Amino acid sequence: MSVQTETLTDRTAAMTQAAMTQTAARADTAAIKMLARNVKVYYGPKQALKGINLDILENRVLALIGPSGCGKSTFLRCLNRMNDTIENCRVDGTLQLDGEDIYGRMIDTVQLRARVGMVFQKPNPFPKSIYDNIAYGPRIHGMATHRDEMDEVVQKSLERAGLWNEVKDRLKEPGTGLSGGQQQRLCIARAIAVSPEVILMDEPCSALDPIATAHIEELIDELRENFTIVIVTHNMQQAARVSQKTAFFHLGDMVECDDTEEIFTNPRDERTQGYITGRYG
Amino acid sequence: MTDLAQQGSRDMTMAHPKSRYQSAEFSARLRARYAAEQRFRAYGIAAVSLAAVMLVILLGSIVSKGYTAFWQNEIRLTVTLDPAELDPQGTRDPKVLAQGNYMKLIRDALAARFPEVTGRNERRQLADILSNGAPFTLQKMVMADPSLVGKTVPVWFQASDDVDQLEKGYIDRSLPEVQRRVNDLQIKALDSLRQDGSLHAGFNTTLFTAGDSREPEQAGIWGAIVGSFLTLVVTMGLSVPIGIAAAVYMEEFAPKNRWTDLIEVNINNLAAVPSIIYGLLGLAVFLNFFGMPRSAPVVGGVVLALMTLPVIIIAARVALKAVPPSIREAALGIGASPLQTVMHHVLPLAMPGILTGTIIGMARALGETAPLLMIGMIAFIVDIPNSFTSSATVLPVQIFMWSDSPERAFTERTSAAIMVLLGFLIVMNGLAVYLRKKFERRW
Ligand SMILES: Nc1ncnc2c1ncn2[C@@H]1O[C@H](COP(=O)(O)OP(=O)(O)OP(=O)(O)O)[C@@H](O)[C@H]1O
Ligand SMILES: [Mg+2]
């Protein structure tokens, strides 16, 4: 994995240009939590992202939409360097968290991933007890030293994920024994237990029924108060319901990013319009 | 198909043209497919039965030849432990007691029991019905309890291997005397002993407590079992940690490039290298170059460790590969370091598979003979090995050596030793299966 340092002028030029297009769209005054400038991702010789510019605002939900294979997951995985685990993946460009370069030499991936948590498409609880699933993160980060503290962290995380009432009597049972929707909420609880600043969610509801989905959407709305959230979804209604900002990806490009309302009522690009009205995708 | 049925089916499909799945051609094809399936099943059953029959024959021949080795005939004599022979000064000093002429006491006991046998030669023949370990039996008894000196006590002595074989029915009494390993005089004496209950067959504890011996009735497999144990301890101590570490590194940390590919190919090839090559390697490197002791469990263990390493590495890599990537992503995603991810999540999940592979590798090492011959573990060793560097042999080599001995008594001991070895292997493989079942996980 390497970040090719482009020549300085190149980079500044790209950044100013991107900043200009972005400011035009920014009515929201929230602080910028994460930012991507000219992000290009290659899987071996194949380019998956062709220069993405995007601002992720603090305490807002950003939805990434777009047809399958357009690079949404790829982009999401750049934000906490999960792409590092893929052998032939290469990332170019600038990605920042609170003004700090994510792919810079100074950053520690372990620390980054503690700050930028992730919920995956398929629920992936550890094959351990429900309690240990939640407690694992806080334990390795030394967030709770006493048993009581840990109990509290576990309870609070499960409560925030709306799972506490269902599992409070069976914390010792394996997390893999829960239903799909419960497992996904367990994974969300696990992610928030380490108090990240940003939570990335890759199609968190794709395996869930409408009730569980509604539950998680509510949860996302609540979590927004304390976290910055980026969610990938194929469900237009979901994007409209939970997000404040929406970015439309197409064939490795970020076509447009704007307030969610704006995107769904008044898209500027005809590809966006085509996609959200269901003409393709 | 009858006309009526055809009529019916035609009626049913009236609306559509007759489907090709209802045509006669199709049902013929279907019949052929079922027939093929039946044939295939028959082949399978035949193959399994053949294997089962072979196994039964193998086990049957081993058990039928060897089960008698678990018994040993013993002869009771009333021995007078004469103080004049054992302890003239009456000090009860162990050193003095150890020097006593126990053979003479036994000969006296025999003479007392069979006063009718008088000739020098005949007396010697009579003494031959006892194992020539008999004086040691008596010596051990007296040393353990010096207060016996001066008393007259009944003592059970091991019968000689020929007597034992005769009693077990392996020597034909109807043969002419010159062709028989037990002569008429001895048979008469045995019959007389049997009559007053002084000849019986007891459990052969010697087999499980003694080391090797030239005399079958004094030979045991304990030395070989201890040798095998010491060797396997070394093998396991080396190959398990190294194998797991290598597998974890290659699977979880190493970059995938031409070098790691090369290493992988080589490891796979090493698993297929004939084991005797490892023996040659051990001979050249450990004995000749490093000057390590011959016949020592430590060298055998190292050689077997080299042999099992590829097996363990391959098994461990397979087990690690089977852990779903989602578990790794889950751990990494909440900020676990790669090492924590492996240690806390991946390795525990892979452990049952690794364990199974390890046990099977160990079972293979336990049954291995060829490489150990090369490093001298085939020596005739009477003493039970007591350290990793003392001379030792192992069970399969012991079997190999005994199978080479001419005495009939060694034949049955060979089979008995094979049974013990198979017992260990079955236990180990059973353990592997049990662990696999017990820790099988769903995720
Ligand atoms: N590990 C990989 N190796 C090679 N190519 C990959 C890899 N992962 C993704 N790609 C390619 O990168 C492109 C973007 O994939 P990505 O998974 O980001 O799409 P996506 O927008 O998330 O699609 P979906 O909505 O179906 O999840 C695709 O063309 C895909 O084939
Ligand atoms: Mg995706």
Side-chain angles (χ1 to χ4, degrees):
Chain A
M1 181 80 38
S2 72
V3 183
Q4 275 194 347
T5 31
E6 301 161 67
T7 59
L8 205 60
T9 41
D10 259 10
R11 197 172 185 173
T12 8
M15 274 168 101
T16 26
Q17 195 210 344
M20 266 152 54
T21 53
Q22 287 281 324
T23 28
R26 264 189 71 195
D28 199 329
T29 53
I32 295 177
K33 185 71 186 170
M34 296 188 87
L35 131 179
R37 289 293 176 268
N38 199 22
V39 171
K40 297 172 182 161
V41 178
Y42 305 85
Y43 290 109
K46 184 169 173 287
Q47 187 168 12
L49 289 181
K50 300 172 184 166
I52 304 292
N53 296 303
L54 199 59
D55 289 349
I56 298 167
L57 302 183
E58 194 155 23
N59 296 355
R60 297 286 181 276
V61 178
L62 169 69
L64 305 183
I65 60 172
S68 191
C70 65
K72 305 179 296 292
S73 300
T74 302
F75 179 71
L76 204 64
R77 293 166 64 92
C78 289
L79 295 175
N80 69 345
R81 292 189 59 171
M82 227 34 191
N83 281 335
D84 288 14
T85 57
I86 297 169
E87 198 65 39
N88 58 358
C89 179
R90 195 159 58 84
V91 179
D92 261 2
T94 310
L95 281 150
Q96 290 182 351
L97 169 65
D98 287 338
E100 205 180 339
D101 207 340
I102 291 177
Y103 280 87
R105 209 165 299 154
M106 299 306 290
I107 203 94
D108 184 78
T109 48
V110 168
Q111 190 193 22
L112 172 70
R113 287 177 194 146
R115 292 174 67 189
V116 183
M118 192 158 193
V119 177
F120 297 85
Q121 177 169 358
K122 220 178 112 219
N124 55 353
F126 299 127
K128 299 178 184 244
S129 72
I130 293 170
Y131 185 94
D132 285 338
N133 260 284
I134 310 292
Y136 180 70
R139 197 176 290 143
I140 58 172
H141 295 309
M143 286 167 60
T145 41
H146 291 293
R147 180 86 200 177
D148 302 348
E149 275 180 90
M150 187 61 87
D151 289 348
E152 201 184 307
V153 170
V154 170
Q155 177 170 355
K156 257 174 78 185
S157 308
L158 285 169
E159 274 169 358
R160 291 174 87 175
L163 193 59
W164 175 250
N165 286 329
E166 288 158 70
V167 301
K168 61 170 181 260
D169 302 321
R170 41 196 281 212
L171 291 175
K172 291 274 159 282
E173 285 173 35
T176 38
L178 297 172
S179 79
Q182 289 173 327
Q183 285 189 15
Q184 193 60 295
R185 277 180 281 152
L186 180 66
C187 291
I188 293 174
R190 183 177 65 190
I192 58 185
V194 293
S195 315
E197 297 157 32
V198 182
I199 301 178
L200 312 174
M201 298 184 175
D202 195 348
E203 301 180 45
C205 302
S206 65
L208 305 187
D209 69 79
I211 295 171
T213 303
H215 206 123
I216 287 179
E217 284 177 11
E218 262 170 53
L219 173 64
I220 290 170
D221 214 44
E222 283 165 30
L223 292 176
R224 178 162 67 90
E225 279 178 33
N226 301 294
F227 305 98
T228 302
I229 295 171
V230 184
I231 176 171
V232 171
T233 179
H234 280 292
N235 182 331
M236 293 305 114
Q237 286 81 23
Q238 183 172 61
R241 278 194 300 265
V242 300
S243 69
Q244 287 76 53
K245 291 272 180 187
T246 299
F248 173 64
F249 279 61
H250 183 70
L251 296 178
D253 276 321
M254 206 278 291
V255 173
E256 83 178 278
C257 174
D258 210 333
D259 289 341
T260 300
E261 241 183 76
E262 199 62 19
I263 291 266
F264 281 99
T265 52
N266 189 15
R268 271 176 293 150
D269 196 290
E270 60 180 32
R271 285 172 292 178
T272 318
Q273 181 154 25
Y275 182 71
I276 58 176
T277 54
R279 246 182 287 146
Y280 60 81
Chain B
M1 228 186 254
T2 64
D3 281 349
L4 208 74
Q6 214 145 31
Q7 188 67 45
S9 76
R10 196 170 299 143
D11 281 345
M12 261 163 56
T13 55
M14 204 63 113
H16 311 282
K18 193 173 176 187
S19 152
R20 68 178 300 254
Y21 293 118
Q22 289 169 312
S23 66
E25 190 195 345
F26 185 77
S27 26
R29 192 181 268 271
L30 204 59
R31 269 197 303 281
R33 266 153 60 177
Y34 283 134
E37 196 173 312
Q38 291 290 330
R39 271 200 305 281
F40 185 77
R41 264 176 206 230
Y43 298 150
I45 291 171
V48 171
S49 320
L50 188 70
V53 167
M54 291 301 181
L55 190 66
V56 167
I57 292 175
L58 175 76
L59 291 181
S61 90
I62 290 170
V63 171
S64 67
K65 268 191 212 145
Y67 77 99
T68 47
F70 296 113
W71 285 271
Q72 165 71 36
N73 281 286
E74 293 174 335
I75 291 168
R76 182 174 58 191
L77 289 177
T78 310
V79 184
T80 306
L81 296 165
D82 185 358
E85 288 295 341
L86 299 179
D87 190 15
Q89 268 89 49
T91 55
R92 301 287 187 268
D93 182 358
K95 269 192 215 129
V96 180
L97 287 178
Q99 302 287 316
N101 189 350
Y102 294 95
M103 192 62 224
K104 177 161 188 310
L105 297 184
I106 291 169
R107 265 193 238 113
D108 291 348
L110 275 170
R113 177 68 179 74
F114 300 105
E116 70 279 9
V117 182
T118 48
R120 220 178 113 83
N121 231 344
E122 283 75 18
R123 287 244 172 127
R124 182 169 301 145
Q125 286 168 8
L126 193 59
D128 277 348
I129 62 172
L130 295 180
S131 159
N132 55 12
F136 300 108
T137 312
L138 199 58
Q139 180 199 37
K140 241 191 262 164
M141 203 178 88
V142 172
M143 303 277 289
D145 183 8
S147 69
L148 289 174
V149 176
K151 293 181 184 159
T152 300
V153 288
V155 185
W156 285 101
F157 294 103
Q158 284 181 325
S160 75
D161 59 319
D162 288 332
V163 169
D164 191 51
Q165 297 300 299
L166 179 85
E167 287 300 307
K168 287 171 179 169
Y170 294 127
I171 293 177
D172 191 354
R173 287 172 192 245
S174 61
L175 282 174
E177 188 175 8
V178 284
Q179 290 179 20
R180 216 185 309 125
R181 293 187 58 89
V182 187
N183 63 22
D184 291 340
L185 172 88
Q186 291 169 325
I187 287 182
K188 229 175 93 205
L190 288 171
D191 289 340
S192 136
L193 283 167
R194 195 180 306 108
Q195 239 143 48
D196 61 12
S198 296
L199 174 62
H200 85 150
F203 182 70
N204 189 356
T205 45
T206 311
L207 185 64
F208 294 98
T209 53
D212 201 4
S213 169
R214 293 283 179 228
E215 303 299 327
E217 73 277 4
Q218 293 170 51
I221 52 174
W222 183 241
I225 289 177
V226 172
S228 275
F229 174 76
L230 293 174
T231 307
L232 277 196
V233 166
V234 174
T235 304
M236 203 150 107
L238 285 175
S239 62
V240 173
I242 296 177
I244 293 178
V248 166
Y249 176 72
M250 304 242 308
E251 205 50 52
E252 304 288 329
F253 295 102
K256 303 273 176 288
N257 57 29
R258 209 177 305 157
W259 288 111
T260 44
D261 281 351
L262 190 74
I263 291 173
E264 183 173 348
V265 167
N266 275 303
I267 288 177
N268 291 344
N269 282 339
L270 281 179
V273 166
S275 56
I276 194 146
I277 308 286
Y278 288 100
L280 282 170
L281 178 84
L283 178 64
V285 175
F286 300 121
L287 298 194
N288 294 347
F289 189 74
F290 288 114
M292 289 164 95
R294 284 178 71 82
S295 314
V298 62
V299 181
V302 173
V303 168
L304 292 182
L306 289 177
M307 197 193 77
T308 31
L309 253 182
V311 178
I312 291 180
I313 292 177
I314 291 171
R317 289 191 68 178
V318 170
L320 289 168
K321 259 199 198 101
V323 176
S326 65
I327 298 290
R328 295 183 181 85
E329 289 189 332
L332 291 174
I334 51 173
S337 69
L339 187 65
Q340 285 173 326
T341 304
V342 170
M343 287 302 171
H344 298 162
H345 300 286
V346 180
L347 202 53
L349 289 176
M351 221 50 206
I354 295 177
L355 231 53
T356 313
T358 302
I359 293 173
I360 288 172
M362 286 302 127
R364 207 185 126 193
L366 175 62
E368 198 54 72
T369 324
L372 301 180
L373 303 184
M374 301 307 297
I375 55 152
M377 287 190 95
I378 188 160
F380 171 73
I381 289 142
V382 178
D383 296 327
I384 312 293
N386 54 12
S387 78
F388 290 108
T389 47
S390 52
S391 291
T393 189
V394 293
L395 258 181
V397 175
Q398 185 70 76
I399 290 167
F400 173 69
M401 288 194 287
W402 280 355
S403 71
D404 228 16
S405 304
E407 287 95 336
R408 175 67 186 74
F410 271 128
T411 311
E412 70 176 14
R413 278 169 178 73
T414 306
S415 296
I418 290 173
M419 279 190 261
V420 172
L421 180 60
L422 284 179
F424 280 122
L425 293 178
I426 289 170
V427 167
M428 287 173 87
N429 283 314
L431 193 68
V433 172
Y434 171 76
L435 287 173
R436 191 164 50 214
K437 284 265 178 299
K438 178 156 185 227
F439 293 107
E440 220 162 41
R441 280 180 199 263
R442 290 171 294 121
W443 41 66

